[in-house]
Amino acid sequence: MTETAPSMQLLRRVNAGALLAIMRKSGGVMTASELVKATGLTRATVISICDDLVEMGWVKELENQRDAQYAKGRPARRFAFDARAGYVLGVDLGDAKTRVMLADLSGEPLAKVTLPFSGAGAPAAERLDVVNRAVLAALEDAEVPSVSVLAVSVGVAAPVSRDEAVLVTDAHWQMFDIDLPKALADQYGWHVLLENDANLAALGERWRGAAQGVDDLAVLLAGDRIGAGVFESGRLLHGSRGGFGELGYVGMIEGVEGPLGLATLARTWGREAVLSAAPTSLSEMCPNSPDDLTAEMVFAAAAGGDHVAAEILNRLATSMARVIASLSCLLNPALVVIGGAVADSAHAIIPDLTDRLPTYTSTPPLVAASQLGEAIVSIGAVRHALDYVEDHALEMRPADLDHRVA
């Protein structure tokens, strides 16, 4: 039976996507013969599709090179994915500041910019302006024109529904409902994605962090508040309204003071100790006011042998063990990663936390602290934007970007 034109077009599109994916993953130069071997396609088909991808701007054809000992025959045609065919932006819209990361299509960061808001309650207009300034600074630092951005992903500390709407049933979540994707799309013409920050943290950790290759995973953003991004069998879970991983229920667990993060608890308990006049070096760290005490000071004091600070870390380990145990009973992840601004400090409580887990659950997971630091959400946002570009690559023509006016 003769194949119809639409079916031939579909087959060619599938083959083009496969070729592009292979070149992108290889990260290097591939000859036509290597592509034939990798795909099982005919040489004529490979060459034809590569010519199309070069015309679209996704692939570069390199100059022929011939080894001196092979002087005869047609020189090999050599192709490479062009990681600078376009760029993506990852935006972390936090409570107190925003972080922006600009990356090429290999995921290589080219610029990172962090700007603060005037406060956690900064109005929407200010937040939009600060994000815009951070984005423009990143583009300027990398000397990338705005028209070369193929996709943007924005992470917010609130549930995000499947149609990318912020759930505003909680007062804290309402501050993130500022129509940032629409503002960026209207100003720059970009395709802008919106996602929960913990979900992006899980994407980032699975891509570049401790969870590479882990299909059953929970990543806890545990700074000021706790939220979880969860993978089950390699699939990121969202829930009907985007609320999967919201941990408000942990306040019903004995010994857990609501969905408060490690930084909040360490700071609160440390200040309580100072106000109680307990014999502790924490008082010397904040001589002017207990309000000056930070979570980092508490962890540092514990590392220096302060018994009061060490007891605070003991309480943190117990509280976090109960939170992780509840996740283990519900979801049974193989690995739980503690991420966010306190990830470096969290190393100190992981041994005690791990020892406590079997007391609370029969399926204790491995626990690790993230190495991605405060960039974890923006790294995940870059991965999210790259996923979009890779899924829609054949609908884009990076070659046309050179002819557009910024």
Side-chain angles (χ1 to χ4, degrees):
M1 182 175 64
T2 303
E3 294 194 59
T4 63
S7 65
M8 292 294 291
Q9 292 172 359
L10 176 60
L11 180 60
R12 186 174 181 85
R13 182 181 180 84
V14 169
N15 289 338
L19 268 172
L20 186 57
I22 288 169
M23 282 187 274
R24 184 176 62 243
K25 291 176 181 177
S26 78
V29 178
M30 298 188 73
T31 65
S33 297
E34 290 170 334
L35 289 168
V36 168
K37 183 178 181 180
T39 62
L41 300 173
T42 66
R43 183 179 183 85
T45 298
V46 165
I47 292 296
S48 177
I49 292 175
C50 283
D51 286 341
D52 289 345
L53 294 173
V54 169
E55 182 183 1
M56 292 175 70
W58 286 115
V59 171
K60 299 180 294 185
E61 183 172 5
L62 283 71
E63 292 183 7
N64 293 321
Q65 288 185 342
R66 190 197 302 274
D67 193 302
Q69 62 180 315
Y70 298 111
K72 297 182 179 179
R74 181 184 301 173
R77 294 187 65 179
R78 302 160 64 247
F79 301 94
F81 175 71
D82 187 358
R84 300 294 173 92
Y87 303 86
V88 297
L89 282 163
V91 179
D92 177 7
L93 180 64
D95 290 12
K97 54 192 169 184
T98 188
R99 299 180 185 85
V100 172
M101 181 179 293
L102 175 71
D104 67 17
L105 298 182
S106 71
E108 178 68 23
L110 304 177
K112 303 174 186 177
V113 175
T114 300
L115 292 179
F117 302 123
S118 61
E126 178 190 333
R127 289 174 175 272
L128 291 170
D129 177 65
V130 171
V131 171
N132 186 59
R133 287 192 285 113
V135 163
L136 289 176
L139 292 171
E140 183 177 356
D141 286 353
E143 299 183 342
V144 169
S146 63
V147 293
S148 295
V149 174
L150 299 180
V152 181
S153 174
V154 177
V156 295
V160 177
S161 66
R162 291 187 177 95
D163 59 356
E164 298 190 3
V166 175
L167 184 62
V168 294
T169 54
D170 180 282
H172 180 260
W173 299 339
Q174 292 174 12
M175 76 171 70
F176 301 103
D177 186 28
I178 61 172
D179 284 334
L180 179 57
K182 183 178 186 303
L184 293 176
D186 287 349
Q187 183 162 356
Y188 300 105
W190 296 334
H191 184 89
V192 185
L193 308 161
L194 190 68
E195 181 57 281
N196 171 262
D197 60 351
N199 288 344
L200 293 180
L203 279 173
E205 200 65 43
R206 201 161 176 259
W207 179 38
R208 290 280 170 87
Q212 295 178 53
V214 179
D215 286 340
D216 296 284
L217 164 73
V219 173
L220 291 175
L221 285 184
D224 290 328
R225 290 164 62 97
I226 298 179
V230 178
F231 274 91
E232 196 279 325
S233 298
R235 180 171 59 100
L236 183 63
L237 302 181
H238 286 86
S240 63
R241 302 173 69 187
F244 200 98
E246 292 300 325
L247 302 182
Y249 76 88
V250 298
M252 294 181 278
I253 300 174
E254 183 180 356
V256 179
E257 297 188 19
L260 301 177
L262 295 174
T264 298
L265 293 174
R267 197 166 53 236
T268 300
W269 293 339
R271 291 171 182 175
E272 289 174 355
V274 171
L275 289 171
S276 72
T280 171
S281 60
L282 296 175
S283 300
E284 301 167 9
M285 293 181 173
C286 52
N288 297 321
S289 169
D291 291 340
D292 296 334
L293 189 71
T294 65
E296 289 77 13
M297 291 177 184
V298 175
F299 281 94
D306 187 286
H307 295 297
V308 171
E311 178 55 30
I312 291 174
L313 264 60
N314 180 63
R315 293 175 66 186
L316 290 175
T318 299
S319 178
M320 188 59 67
R322 289 174 173 171
V323 171
I324 291 175
S326 74
L327 287 174
S328 185
C329 292
L330 291 169
L331 305 169
N332 192 208
L335 173 67
V336 173
V337 178
I338 299 174
V342 296
D344 288 343
S345 300
H347 284 283
I349 67 170
I350 285 180
D352 286 345
L353 186 164
T354 301
D355 288 344
R356 287 168 170 76
L357 279 176
T359 305
Y360 307 127
T361 175
S362 299
T363 56
L366 296 175
V367 182
S370 174
Q371 300 293 324
L372 301 183
E374 291 189 280
I376 186 171
V377 174
S378 54
I379 290 172
V382 164
R383 181 65 263 170
H384 191 216
L386 287 173
D387 287 344
Y388 177 84
V389 172
E390 291 170 10
D391 288 344
H392 297 82
L394 299 182
E395 301 163 19
M396 304 176 180
R397 289 185 60 89
D400 293 344
L401 298 177
D402 295 336
H403 308 294
R404 293 170 60 186
V405 178

